[in-house]
Amino acid sequence: LRMAAAAAGQEKQLAPTLLSFFIYNPKLGPKEGEEEKKILFYHPNEVEKNEKIRNVGLCEAIVQFTRTFSPTKPAKSLHTQKNRQFFHEPEENFWMVMVVRNPIIEKHKDGKPVYEYQEEELLDKVYSSVLQQCYSMYKLFNGTFLKAMEDGGVKVLKERLEKFFHRYLQTLHLQSCDLLDVFCGISFFPLDKMTYLKIQSFINRMEESLNIVKYTAFLYNDQLIWSGLEQDDMRILYKYLTTSLFPRHMEPELAGRDSPIRAEMPGNLQHYGRFLTGPLNLNDPETKCRFPKIFVNTDDTYEELHLIVYKNLTSPFSLPATASIPPTLEFCRKLDSIVGPQLTVLASDICEQYNINKRISGAEKEPQFKFIYFNHMNLAEKSTIHMRKTPSVSLASVHPDLMKILGDINSDFSRVDEDEEIIVKAMSDYWVVGKKSDQRELYVILNQKNVNLIEVNEEVKKLCATQFNNIFFLD
């Protein structure tokens, strides 16, 4: 029906958008007349004061009301005709709320626009995950809300929230959020044992000679090879590196391809490397040595570290490391001289492996299936549905309706603990299969004419045998 109407050229689809985003703490303004004190951050800021208070009050009421029915699990979302509200309490009494406008179909009747809200299009789990990531990303760069309160009370917390979310909210592209946001996984680079051991010993040697380096990670393209960080910290740091830091540095690099690399550095012919965070020119004694701070292990030891990201320019290698004290220019020069040449040597080994991987997977040019795989134990994620992520959008190469079916299957999976399989017949020639087996999830989209259920099942078995031969899926 939708496609028929679209063909008539009479309607326009408007994607979901962020209407408001706010953080409040009901304990901060308990008395009447003090409601404004509860609000720690509110976007958009232009909203009239009384409306902010009213919206926060409404969320408080909803949360309290639902608590009477389910004291342990407070409200996660509220569905209305025009929008959907998502609630998250990351720390006790600190509430984050995101209000997303439902997608709209705009039609024209008698020359006037008529809006139809699509109430069932948004997936709760996807947008709840986006909201939780907002908190994780804030915490990575600022530590917890409570820490800000200890550092300087409400004033400091408000300043930090304003500074961080003013920029971060601009990077939320709600129209392209999907199942990958639920997983927030990590794409790993498959390596043979020998090369992996070489990398491990290189990292051990480096951490030994640069003793302020605390944790190191190692990436090729946007794939992780090695990480010394805790899983949850690496997960969010990986998201920051691949969707924000690396793409930001890609554009100027591509633009300046023809210029001589680091011509200002005489005698630096043995390697090409530079810092993505920190000093731009190591030869300038006046250069600033500023590194972003990150906070890891916030649940127990609470470590405050400096994020150093070093990149090899001739191959897509990056080495994010963290240092316990602020690195000096002297330290940066030392890192450059130790790591630069080593990366260049490792590059050839890994490029070789990369070409082997490409040859193996490139056997079939245009397969009849696309898939997403996720492993909850090591956060490994693999998708042939998504094209390369850009800072603004992660593009899925399939119809949004199919992505929604994947999300629905995932929601069904999360309700049960047992292994299961779901097969769905979707639009015209599409079949969607979801398999959940022992902490692993696999979603396959097949596009084949005139096939039946048994044949679809056979195809998925074939896929598992070729792509996941070392992973045991229970049947």
Side-chain angles (χ1 to χ4, degrees):
L1 178 74
R2 191 187 306 170
M3 288 169 94
Q10 283 303 306
E11 61 177 53
K12 200 163 83 183
Q13 277 233 336
L14 303 175
T17 52
L18 182 69
L19 289 179
S20 58
F21 180 97
F22 46 91
I23 298 168
Y24 69 91
N25 184 331
K27 294 276 182 281
L28 295 176
K31 296 191 187 123
E32 210 171 317
E34 290 184 349
E35 287 88 355
E36 202 187 354
K37 289 182 181 171
K38 295 175 188 174
I39 306 173
L40 297 163
F41 174 80
Y42 199 104
H43 164 87
N45 198 23
E46 311 71 76
V47 173
E48 208 259 311
K49 183 177 101 172
N50 285 338
E51 196 188 329
K52 287 181 185 175
I53 291 169
R54 210 167 44 241
N55 289 341
V56 168
L58 176 66
C59 291
E60 256 188 279
I62 292 163
V63 168
Q64 285 305 343
F65 175 67
T66 51
R67 272 228 163 102
T68 53
F69 301 104
S70 133
T72 51
K73 282 188 177 173
K76 279 270 163 58
S77 70
L78 169 72
H79 298 209
T80 63
Q81 181 200 355
K82 292 185 178 176
N83 58 42
R84 201 169 284 192
Q85 303 195 11
F86 299 93
F87 313 101
H88 179 43
E89 185 185 23
E91 296 174 39
E92 201 180 350
N93 293 318
F94 285 99
W95 284 88
M96 299 174 77
V97 181
M98 180 170 81
V99 185
V100 181
R101 191 200 66 201
N102 284 328
I104 298 174
I105 292 181
E106 184 188 314
K107 294 181 175 177
H108 286 275
K109 249 188 191 159
D110 309 328
K112 287 183 187 155
V114 180
Y115 297 110
E116 259 180 41
Y117 288 90
Q118 306 288 98
E119 290 178 55
E120 296 308 313
E121 288 300 300
L122 297 183
L123 290 170
D124 273 4
K125 210 168 164 204
V126 168
Y127 290 92
S128 292
S129 304
V130 170
L131 182 56
Q132 284 162 26
Q133 280 167 34
C134 287
Y135 173 70
S136 302
M137 201 64 88
Y138 167 86
K139 193 173 73 164
L140 178 69
F141 290 104
N142 297 279
T144 57
F145 295 158
L146 207 60
K147 181 178 189 301
M149 294 287 278
E150 287 163 3
D151 288 349
V154 176
K155 184 172 175 286
V156 167
L157 177 59
K158 279 186 171 177
E159 281 166 9
R160 286 183 193 171
L161 290 171
E162 176 62 43
K163 191 178 166 194
F164 178 80
F165 282 110
H166 175 67
R167 282 176 61 187
Y168 185 70
L169 291 180
Q170 294 169 18
T171 68
L172 288 187
H173 294 273
L174 299 180
Q175 70 281 7
S176 63
C177 294
D178 58 37
L179 193 57
L180 288 195
D181 291 281
V182 174
F183 295 146
C184 193
I186 294 171
S187 175
F188 286 96
F189 184 82
L191 266 189
D192 63 302
K193 288 192 189 78
M194 268 318 290
T195 318
Y196 185 76
L197 286 170
K198 278 183 194 169
I199 286 172
Q200 206 173 350
S201 76
F202 155 66
I203 286 171
N204 292 343
R205 286 199 309 274
M206 185 201 73
E207 288 184 353
E208 213 169 284
S209 52
L210 302 166
N211 53 6
I212 66 166
V213 171
K214 192 84 195 269
Y215 302 105
T216 311
F218 199 91
L219 287 98
Y220 181 83
N221 268 343
D222 282 351
Q223 293 181 300
L224 185 66
I225 292 178
W226 160 270
S227 162
L229 277 164
E230 285 291 320
Q231 220 175 26
D232 276 348
D233 292 325
M234 190 61 226
R235 167 187 239 169
I236 205 74
L237 179 62
Y238 175 81
K239 186 175 167 64
Y240 165 70
L241 293 171
T242 54
T243 58
S244 180
L245 185 71
F246 295 164
R248 242 198 350 258
H249 286 274
M250 271 304 283
E251 283 84 37
E253 236 168 71
L254 291 172
R257 255 298 145 77
D258 307 328
S259 59
I261 302 175
R262 289 177 53 154
E264 81 281 0
M265 291 210 151
N268 193 11
L269 299 170
Q270 76 276 33
H271 72 276
Y272 298 114
R274 72 180 177 108
F275 287 91
L276 294 192
T277 60
L280 290 170
N281 179 358
L282 294 177
N283 274 6
D284 178 4
E286 298 298 304
T287 193
K288 298 260 191 307
C289 250
R290 281 208 200 106
F291 289 89
K293 275 185 189 170
I294 61 167
F295 295 83
V296 298
N297 295 326
T298 44
D299 292 340
D300 39 6
T301 50
Y302 213 96
E303 296 182 80
E304 187 175 330
L305 302 163
H306 298 265
L307 177 66
I308 306 160
V309 183
Y310 186 85
K311 185 176 189 305
N312 187 7
L313 291 181
T314 50
S315 62
F317 263 139
S318 309
L319 186 87
T322 55
S324 43
I325 56 172
T328 59
L329 188 59
E330 195 44 50
F331 166 85
C332 293
R333 284 177 181 157
K334 192 175 173 189
L335 185 141
D336 184 59
S337 64
I338 293 173
V339 173
Q342 288 281 336
L343 276 187
T344 311
V345 174
L346 285 169
S348 58
D349 289 350
I350 295 184
C351 291
E352 208 170 295
Q353 188 69 35
Y354 179 70
N355 291 331
I356 292 169
N357 294 347
K358 220 166 153 181
R359 269 208 307 281
I360 295 167
S361 64
E364 291 179 63
K365 278 292 161 271
E366 184 48 52
Q368 287 167 311
F369 41 69
K370 293 186 169 175
F371 66 85
I372 292 178
Y373 164 79
F374 181 67
N375 180 344
H376 288 271
M377 289 176 283
N378 63 356
L379 308 182
E381 172 182 280
K382 195 174 178 187
S383 166
T384 58
I385 287 174
H386 294 77
M387 275 88 90
R388 200 182 79 79
K389 279 197 178 96
T390 65
S392 57
V393 68
S394 106
L395 295 164
S397 58
V398 298
H399 195 282
D401 286 0
L402 289 170
M403 288 311 291
K404 185 170 183 295
I405 294 172
L406 294 185
D408 287 333
I409 294 176
N410 171 260
S411 298
D412 286 345
F413 282 166
S414 57
R415 288 191 199 103
V416 287
D417 290 332
E418 294 85 52
D419 295 343
E420 65 172 317
E421 184 169 30
I422 296 175
I423 301 182
V424 179
K425 175 85 173 79
M427 306 172 296
S428 55
D429 298 326
Y430 284 99
W431 288 80
V432 181
V433 181
K435 266 171 102 77
K436 179 186 180 199
S437 170
D438 185 31
Q439 300 268 338
R440 299 181 178 93
E441 293 179 32
L442 175 67
Y443 301 84
V444 186
I445 295 174
L446 290 136
N447 178 15
Q448 284 176 321
K449 283 190 168 68
N450 315 323
V451 289
N452 60 29
L453 202 60
I454 297 161
E455 289 164 327
V456 167
N457 212 7
E458 284 304 310
E459 281 296 325
V460 173
K461 274 190 180 152
K462 257 190 247 170
L463 168 74
C464 290
T466 55
Q467 292 278 348
F468 304 103
N469 55 359
N470 55 351
I471 293 168
F472 180 61
F473 281 106
L474 302 168
D475 278 327

